[in-house]
Each structure stands twice: as structure tokens, then as C-alpha cells.
């Protein structure tokens, strides 16, 4: 084992360590998810996600991109507490980043034995990006599957939730919330009558029903988010 390790280049050693560590972490995440002890929209991911969009109008308060729109949905991007959304997928989360480093490192490590280092790095980056998108797609599909049951939005009234996609102001459009409801982690459409949009990652209180599948919300403040979701 020592002889094999010493035969590796420094890059290969680094890639091997990263690949092993992130793979173990990814397996632990999957086990936690299957056991119901982890949700992508909360916990570690909540403080890790970032807002980015190609149509940004400028920076807001030095925390992120302001006056922008999420790709494909016409909603404003939040203030740096949300997530990177591309084609409706949450790309920058703990799980997608771990998938990027795990798969990308294993591919680059393997390819470096047969191709030049620059080629191995490029192929590893491409494989990592593909893995991140695949993980985001799987999590999105899982969320939709969880939401396909008999979830009654009326049961969410009075609860505190987290904004998943920005809620436009003055009922000009619908955003999305995530919360634990009926012992499941679900996603619900939401509107607000307030004059300002409620950004991704903000805590909101559900005040009533807008229609059969949409709730009305108002800002709740970060202090009540955790207690309201449990």
C-alpha cells in the first residue's frame, strides 16, 4: 500500500484523498436522507446556498446579487441567503457540491493515469458538473414525489416556512415555500400582498389560503423559522 501511494503524483494523491472523503460524506448524506434525518432545504444547506443569475442588475448590500431574476421563472433573486437555480434546479447545495468533488475527483484521478494532467482535470471538472446537475435533478424529483400525496395547504396556515423561490410583491406572481407538513418535507406555492418581494431563504408565516393550492404569506423573521418548521 505504501509503495502504491508513493508511486502516485502529488495531484493524484490530492485527488484520491478528496474523492475518498467526499464519497464517504455523500454516502452518509444518502443514509440520513433515507432515514428521514436530513432535508436539502434546511440544515447545513440553508447556510451554504448562494443566489446567482446572469441578468443581475447590480450588487445588493454587499451580500449578493440584487435586482435580478431566477432563470426561467421571472422571480427576483434574494439577498444571498438562497440557492443557485438553473432550469428550476437547485445547483449550489451541500449535496451537489459533494457530488461535484466526489465524482469529479474520482474521474480526474483515474484519467490522469492514461491522459495528460490538463486533460484529466478538464474531464474531471466536466464530470463533476454533470454529477452536480444529476444530484440536483434527483433531489428535485424526490421533492415532487413527496408532494404528490394528499397534502392539504390549509394545514400549513399559521406555520413558518422558508422561501424556496422568491415570492413576488402585491400578488403579481407565485413563489415557492418549503416546510415540514403532515410529517413530510413539502413544497407549496405562495403569494404575498406586501409591497416588497420576499427573497429566497427568508422565513415567512403562512397567514391563509390564496386558492386551493396556494397560500398567502408575510415575512416572519429568521428567529422563528426553525421553531416553525419543527
Amino acid at each position: 500500500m505504501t509503495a502504491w501511494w508513493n508511486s502516485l503524483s502529488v495531484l493524484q494523491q490530492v485527488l484520491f484523498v478528496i474523492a475518498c472523503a467526499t464519497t464517504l460524506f455523500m454516502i452518509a448524506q444518502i443514509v440520513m436522507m433515507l432515514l428521514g434525518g436530513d432535508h436539502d432545504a434546511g440544515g447545513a444547506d440553508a447556510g451554504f446556498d448562494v443566489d446567482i443569475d446572469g441578468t443581475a442588475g447590480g450588487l445588493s448590500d454587499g451580500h449578493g446579487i440584487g435586482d435580478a431574476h431566477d432563470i426561467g421563472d421571472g422571480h427576483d433573486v434574494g439577498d444571498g441567503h438562497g440557492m443557485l437555480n438553473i432550469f428550476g434546479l437547485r445547483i449550489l447545495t451541500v449535496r451537489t457540491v459533494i457530488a461535484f468533488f466526489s465524482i469529479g475527483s474520482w474521474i480526474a484521478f483515474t484519467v490522469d493515469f492514461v491522459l495528460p494532467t490538463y486533460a484529466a482535470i478538464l474531464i474531471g471538472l466536466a464530470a463533476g458538473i454533470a454529477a452536480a446537475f444529476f444530484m440536483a435533478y434527483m433531489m428535485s424529483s424526490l421533492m415532487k414525489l413527496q408532494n404528490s400525496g394528499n397534502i392539504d395547504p390549509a394545514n400549513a396556515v399559521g406555520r413558518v416556512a422558508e422561501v424556496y423561490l422568491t415570492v413576488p410583491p402585491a400578488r403579481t406572481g407565485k413563489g415557492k415555500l418549503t416546510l415540514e407538513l403532515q410529517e413530510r418535507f413539502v413544497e407549496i406555492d405562495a403569494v404575498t400582498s406586501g409591497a416588497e418581494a420576499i427573497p429566497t431563504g427568508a422565513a415567512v408565516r403562512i397567514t391563509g389560503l390564496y386558492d386551493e393550492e396556494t397560500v398567502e404569506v408575510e415575512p416572519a423573521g429568521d428567529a422563528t423559522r426553525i421553531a416553525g418548521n419543527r
Side-chain angles (χ1 to χ4, degrees):
M1 183 66 178
T2 302
W4 173 80
W5 177 256
N6 291 333
S7 69
L8 301 177
S9 67
V10 173
L11 175 63
Q12 290 170 340
Q13 290 176 347
V14 171
L15 290 172
F16 184 78
V17 171
I18 293 175
C20 289
T22 52
T23 298
L24 290 174
F25 191 88
M26 184 166 59
I27 292 173
Q29 286 269 309
I30 293 173
V31 170
M32 291 175 64
M33 182 179 64
L34 293 176
L35 295 178
D38 183 47
H39 298 302
D40 195 50
D45 283 345
F48 188 83
D49 298 337
V50 191
D51 277 324
I52 298 179
D53 184 271
T55 60
L59 296 179
S60 175
D61 299 330
H63 297 296
I65 296 173
D67 301 329
H69 298 281
D70 285 334
I71 296 175
D73 61 11
H75 297 320
D76 292 340
V77 168
D79 56 3
H81 299 292
M83 66 291 296
L84 171 58
N85 291 289
I86 298 180
F87 306 123
L89 300 177
R90 299 177 59 191
I91 301 303
L92 192 55
T93 70
V94 169
R95 288 199 186 98
T96 57
V97 170
I98 291 300
F100 170 83
F101 281 107
S102 176
I103 302 302
S105 296
W106 280 123
I107 295 297
F109 173 78
T110 303
V111 173
D112 194 48
F113 285 99
V114 295
L115 292 178
T117 297
Y118 75 88
I121 292 175
L122 290 177
I123 294 173
L125 287 173
I129 292 172
F133 271 89
F134 178 75
M135 178 64 75
Y137 174 77
M138 292 298 294
M139 295 310 303
S140 177
S141 299
L142 178 60
M143 180 70 73
K144 291 178 181 179
L145 180 62
Q146 288 178 326
N147 291 343
S148 63
N150 297 320
I151 297 298
D152 185 0
N155 293 329
V157 175
R159 300 287 302 280
V160 173
E162 183 175 0
V163 177
Y164 170 48
L165 291 179
T166 299
V167 182
R171 297 181 177 177
T172 54
K174 295 182 179 182
K176 290 185 181 295
L177 315 175
T178 54
L179 76 160
E180 193 171 311
L181 182 64
Q182 297 176 207
E183 299 183 351
R184 298 164 64 182
F185 196 68
V186 300
E187 181 181 297
I188 300 178
D189 291 337
V191 299
T192 182
S193 58
E196 297 183 359
I198 305 177
T200 296
V204 293
R205 185 173 300 280
I206 300 170
T207 58
L209 294 179
Y210 178 72
D211 58 34
E212 292 183 355
E213 298 180 350
T214 308
V215 296
E216 183 100 23
V217 299
E218 62 182 17
D222 292 338
T224 58
R225 178 170 57 191
I226 296 177
N229 276 338
R230 298 297 179 189

